[in-house]
Amino acid sequence: MGRAGLIVIDMLNTYEHDDAEALVASVRTALPGVTALLERARAAGAPVVYVNDNFGRWRSHHGEILQTALSGPRADLVEPIAPDEESLFVVKARHSVFYETPLAYLLKQLDVRRVVLCGQVTEQCVLYSALDAHIRHLDVVVATDAVAHIDTELADAALRMMERNMAAELRLSGDISFQEARSA
Amino acid sequence: MGRAGLIVIDMLNTYEHDDAEALVASVRTALPGVTALLERARAAGAPVVYVNDNFGRWRSHHGEILQTALSGPRADLVEPIAPDEESLFVVKARHSVFYETPLAYLLKQLDVRRVVLCGQVTEQCVLYSALDAHIRHLDVVVATDAVAHIDTELADAALRMMERNMAAELRLSGDISFQEARSA
Amino acid sequence: MGRAGLIVIDMLNTYEHDDAEALVASVRTALPGVTALLERARAAGAPVVYVNDNFGRWRSHHGEILQTALSGPRADLVEPIAPDEESLFVVKARHSVFYETPLAYLLKQLDVRRVVLCGQVTEQCVLYSALDAHIRHLDVVVATDAVAHIDTELADAALRMMERNMAAELRLSGDISFQEARSA
Amino acid sequence: MGRAGLIVIDMLNTYEHDDAEALVASVRTALPGVTALLERARAAGAPVVYVNDNFGRWRSHHGEILQTALSGPRADLVEPIAPDEESLFVVKARHSVFYETPLAYLLKQLDVRRVVLCGQVTEQCVLYSALDAHIRHLDVVVATDAVAHIDTELADAALRMMERNMAAELRLSGDISFQEARSA
């Protein structure tokens, strides 16, 4: 039947781009949800995959990207969700976590059929990733209290689009069980 | 520099699916915009490409799909925008006009770098197609009075997403010149 | 478990392109294999999908492409393998039958997990299609007496590549049972 | 017009897989060609992109993959072609360097229109990568003395396929000028 995996989108960020200010406030609100999901997924032995932009640094690896983010002014938004020794990594160019990345291949290898999405930005990469997961016949869960946005109205619309048109389940992080998903 | 092409999305429709009622009213409103774009594009000699679902009828060709749509209860929504002898056709499965279709290849052959999107559904296929066009480095124009929606609020949000996050120009059909685009 | 489907590659052809002469002789040899596969697949109720170039005629549908091929000087190579009323069609741009076509989507809908490839050209589209099917986790069977080539040595190498590096089974058409495949 | 880039395929290898023995001999022969290309590309300021399997180690980054390869029994095949401080990296899953990787996006950003391919395995990943580059409208050069194979006959056939059917130029590394390509 396949199992569930947690996809952590673009959370290794220095927050120095445009729109960062609005985003930072929302990320602060979403952090407890993301950390709760990380704990639950790790406790259940479910795969955790960080998918992240590399900010055009095609030489840097995830350790360096993490260090850059931790050295920045917003280390408090990065430290709580930092990858552990078991975390997996996929670099994306931009847009969806699936577009021109090996994520679909990795999930197939891990027998993951159900992806739990958290991270940023709700009305951008999270939305595009939900669409691409749905097109690829994966079940999609979006943790509504663990995603961060820039524009509140667009984010609300994005969540409704995911639920209505991409068959995504919208759930609070506290209601997402990776065990349940695994046995489903 | 490349030229402009008109993409007519899913307008060959029998309107017998769920959500058809809300859609029909919006299509009626969008019809004059679509017909105006067809006239302008044809007058300018710009390529017109109909990209359409085949409703799972993998034996049917576009002529049959057109006949089916013209034989249905909503022929009045199909007749005004029926393809002419020069129109091109691409069948899509579902979702975006680019996903697993030869549209990108066809546009490359035609030297089209700027796509004008019209048709349905604003907050679904039009939105996904704008994203996929932007990812593929095409310039995107959305004719705001020539797209039809099911959910007004989601459609408005979709248009804002396209403008804000996918670099799409939102224009009225009367302000879209295929000549201008060609020389750009 | 999924079932088997027959993929007929580029057999609707006018044989007027470069290299046609070498190809024609090989197609003549492959014709009995293709017709045998068509009979077996049809008798077993297995899906038969013709995937064909449209020669840049983006207005033409498969009926017109068939008529063009039947009106040409090589109608004898087309008539025996002409599609019947149940055959399905997918237009491809060029290259593989999967690249920027909805074939993967169609096969998923049909629950086809095992594709039997026949047609032309062994060392080109058949090879690329076997690779793309393998990448997409489909089982691949190549009917060695039902594929046609331009260059004998490259075709032999292509068949060995498919077997060795793409996990393809090489079989004679007489040894391919669509019933067997369906129950597998 | 775009410029040329050097793509180094799967050269960070521990050579512990099946077929490694045949491959090792061929890699030894190809090494001078690869190092010559690296020197020329670096001297010309052309981008050098290493595209490499990660052997299923989705936690490891390129530095670790390099260390693993340098710690293995075949360090002599890795040390001469080790990346320098300017080298770029893309991780691939398997198959082509383009399939589900961000390489096309990276090349677009770098304005690279002409890719020079070297590395391994001629009749597998090099062949598939040439096909995918050709499909994506990139010019392809294969450095015939800087690619390594497992099966001599299949490798020869693969090179002929690339030249004949994928519009690839076959050249000796000594005849490939990145300056020339840049100004082309």
Side-chain angles (χ1 to χ4, degrees):
Chain A
M1 278 284 126
R3 55 180 178 152
L6 179 64
I7 313 295
V8 184
I9 303 173
D10 276 337
M11 288 295 288
L12 306 182
N13 193 342
T14 57
Y15 299 97
E16 296 171 330
H17 51 80
D18 291 349
D19 294 326
E21 200 165 341
L23 182 58
V24 159
S26 182
V27 169
R28 208 177 300 284
T29 306
L31 266 186
V34 179
T35 54
L37 286 170
L38 284 167
E39 280 169 25
R40 279 164 179 264
R42 287 165 180 163
V48 176
V49 188
Y50 288 72
V51 188
N52 218 88
D53 273 5
N54 66 355
F55 314 112
R57 295 179 197 156
W58 294 90
R59 273 196 49 69
S60 298
H61 58 69
H62 54 79
E64 292 163 354
I65 293 171
L66 176 61
Q67 284 313 311
T68 303
L70 285 174
S71 308
R74 299 297 185 182
D76 59 314
L77 301 182
V78 178
E79 190 274 328
I81 56 79
D84 69 2
E85 293 298 308
E86 304 298 321
S87 305
L88 305 175
F89 292 87
V90 169
V91 172
K92 71 185 179 72
R94 53 173 192 161
H95 312 293
S96 143
V97 296
F98 290 96
Y99 184 72
E100 300 198 331
T101 78
L103 180 61
Y105 178 82
L106 171 57
L107 295 179
K108 182 102 183 177
Q109 283 191 313
L110 296 170
D111 196 29
V112 169
R113 305 279 178 87
R114 175 181 172 94
V115 289
V116 177
L117 304 182
C118 67
Q120 54 188 269
V121 175
T122 311
E123 70 272 26
Q124 297 183 33
C125 191
V126 177
L127 175 67
Y128 313 153
S129 299
L131 174 63
D132 272 0
H134 177 55
I135 284 177
R136 284 162 178 77
H137 305 282
L138 293 161
D139 295 330
V140 179
V141 182
V142 182
T144 51
D145 59 337
V147 287
H149 58 266
I150 292 170
D151 182 309
T152 306
E153 280 182 32
L154 293 187
D156 287 347
L159 289 171
R160 288 178 55 213
M161 286 175 185
M162 293 186 245
E163 184 175 39
R164 176 167 181 160
N165 299 328
M166 301 168 196
E169 288 175 52
L170 305 188
R171 289 202 190 180
L172 293 171
S173 55
D175 294 335
I176 297 172
S177 162
F178 291 87
Q179 249 103 21
E180 170 203 25
R182 177 183 274 189
S183 65
Chain B
M1 278 284 128
R3 54 180 178 151
L6 178 63
I7 313 295
V8 184
I9 304 174
D10 277 338
M11 288 294 288
L12 306 183
N13 192 341
T14 58
Y15 299 97
E16 295 171 332
H17 51 80
D18 291 350
D19 294 325
E21 201 164 341
L23 182 57
V24 160
S26 182
V27 169
R28 208 177 299 283
T29 306
L31 267 186
V34 179
T35 55
L37 287 170
L38 285 168
E39 279 169 27
R40 280 165 180 263
R42 287 166 180 163
V48 176
V49 187
Y50 288 73
V51 189
N52 218 89
D53 274 6
N54 65 356
F55 315 112
R57 295 180 197 156
W58 293 90
R59 273 196 50 68
S60 298
H61 58 68
H62 54 79
E64 293 163 355
I65 292 171
L66 176 60
Q67 284 313 311
T68 303
L70 286 174
S71 308
R74 299 298 185 184
D76 59 314
L77 301 181
V78 178
E79 191 274 329
I81 56 79
D84 70 1
E85 293 297 308
E86 303 299 321
S87 305
L88 305 175
F89 292 87
V90 169
V91 172
K92 71 185 180 70
R94 50 172 195 164
H95 311 295
S96 142
V97 296
F98 290 96
Y99 184 72
E100 300 198 332
T101 78
L103 181 61
Y105 178 83
L106 171 57
L107 295 179
K108 183 103 182 176
Q109 282 191 313
L110 296 170
D111 195 30
V112 169
R113 304 282 178 87
R114 176 181 172 92
V115 289
V116 177
L117 303 183
C118 68
Q120 53 187 271
V121 174
T122 311
E123 70 272 26
Q124 297 183 32
C125 191
V126 177
L127 174 67
Y128 313 153
S129 299
L131 174 63
D132 272 0
H134 177 56
I135 285 177
R136 283 162 180 76
H137 306 281
L138 293 161
D139 295 330
V140 179
V141 182
V142 182
T144 52
D145 59 338
V147 288
H149 58 266
I150 292 170
D151 181 310
T152 306
E153 281 182 30
L154 294 187
D156 287 348
L159 288 171
R160 288 178 53 213
M161 287 175 185
M162 292 186 245
E163 185 174 39
R164 176 167 182 160
N165 299 328
M166 302 168 196
E169 287 175 53
L170 305 188
R171 289 203 189 179
L172 293 171
S173 55
D175 295 335
I176 298 172
S177 163
F178 291 87
Q179 248 103 23
E180 170 202 24
R182 177 182 275 189
S183 65
Chain C
M1 278 284 126
R3 54 181 178 150
L6 178 64
I7 313 295
V8 184
I9 303 174
D10 277 337
M11 289 294 288
L12 305 183
N13 193 341
T14 57
Y15 300 97
E16 295 171 331
H17 51 81
D18 291 350
D19 294 326
E21 199 164 343
L23 181 57
V24 159
S26 183
V27 169
R28 208 178 298 284
T29 306
L31 266 186
V34 179
T35 55
L37 287 170
L38 284 168
E39 280 169 25
R40 279 165 180 262
R42 287 166 179 164
V48 176
V49 187
Y50 287 74
V51 188
N52 217 89
D53 275 5
N54 65 357
F55 315 114
R57 294 178 198 159
W58 294 90
R59 274 198 48 70
S60 298
H61 57 69
H62 53 78
E64 292 163 354
I65 292 172
L66 175 61
Q67 284 312 312
T68 303
L70 286 174
S71 308
R74 299 299 184 183
D76 59 314
L77 301 182
V78 178
E79 190 274 328
I81 55 78
D84 69 3
E85 293 297 308
E86 304 298 321
S87 305
L88 305 175
F89 292 87
V90 169
V91 172
K92 70 185 180 72
R94 52 173 193 164
H95 313 294
S96 143
V97 295
F98 289 96
Y99 184 72
E100 300 198 332
T101 77
L103 181 61
Y105 178 83
L106 172 57
L107 295 179
K108 183 102 182 176
Q109 283 192 313
L110 296 170
D111 195 30
V112 169
R113 305 280 178 87
R114 176 180 171 93
V115 289
V116 178
L117 304 183
C118 67
Q120 54 187 273
V121 172
T122 311
E123 70 272 26
Q124 297 182 33
C125 191
V126 176
L127 175 66
Y128 313 153
S129 299
L131 174 62
D132 272 0
H134 177 55
I135 285 177
R136 284 162 178 77
H137 306 281
L138 293 162
D139 295 330
V140 179
V141 182
V142 181
T144 52
D145 59 337
V147 287
H149 58 266
I150 292 170
D151 181 310
T152 306
E153 280 182 31
L154 293 187
D156 288 347
L159 288 171
R160 288 178 53 213
M161 287 176 185
M162 293 186 244
E163 184 174 41
R164 176 167 181 160
N165 299 328
M166 301 168 197
E169 287 176 52
L170 306 188
R171 289 203 190 179
L172 293 171
S173 55
D175 295 335
I176 298 172
S177 163
F178 291 87
Q179 249 102 21
E180 170 203 27
R182 176 183 276 191
S183 65
Chain D
M1 278 283 125
R3 55 181 179 151
L6 179 63
I7 313 293
V8 184
I9 302 174
D10 276 338
M11 288 296 288
L12 306 183
N13 193 341
T14 57
Y15 299 96
E16 295 172 331
H17 50 81
D18 291 350
D19 294 326
E21 199 164 342
L23 181 58
V24 160
S26 182
V27 169
R28 207 177 301 282
T29 306
L31 267 185
V34 179
T35 55
L37 287 170
L38 284 168
E39 280 170 26
R40 280 165 179 263
R42 287 165 180 164
V48 176
V49 188
Y50 288 72
V51 189
N52 218 87
D53 274 3
N54 65 356
F55 315 112
R57 295 178 197 158
W58 294 90
R59 274 196 49 70
S60 298
H61 58 68
H62 54 79
E64 293 164 353
I65 293 171
L66 176 61
Q67 284 313 311
T68 303
L70 286 173
S71 309
R74 300 298 185 183
D76 60 314
L77 301 183
V78 178
E79 189 274 328
I81 55 79
D84 69 3
E85 292 298 307
E86 304 298 321
S87 305
L88 305 176
F89 293 88
V90 169
V91 172
K92 71 185 179 72
R94 52 173 192 161
H95 312 294
S96 143
V97 296
F98 290 96
Y99 184 72
E100 299 197 332
T101 78
L103 181 60
Y105 179 83
L106 171 57
L107 295 179
K108 183 102 183 175
Q109 282 191 314
L110 296 170
D111 195 30
V112 169
R113 305 281 177 87
R114 176 181 171 94
V115 290
V116 177
L117 304 183
C118 68
Q120 53 188 272
V121 174
T122 312
E123 70 272 27
Q124 297 182 33
C125 191
V126 176
L127 174 67
Y128 313 153
S129 299
L131 174 62
D132 272 359
H134 177 55
I135 284 178
R136 284 160 179 77
H137 306 281
L138 293 161
D139 295 330
V140 179
V141 181
V142 182
T144 52
D145 60 336
V147 287
H149 59 266
I150 292 170
D151 181 309
T152 306
E153 280 182 31
L154 293 187
D156 287 348
L159 288 171
R160 288 178 53 214
M161 287 176 185
M162 292 186 247
E163 185 174 40
R164 176 166 182 161
N165 299 327
M166 302 169 196
E169 287 176 53
L170 305 188
R171 289 202 191 180
L172 292 172
S173 54
D175 295 334
I176 298 172
S177 162
F178 290 87
Q179 249 103 22
E180 169 202 28
R182 177 182 277 191
S183 64

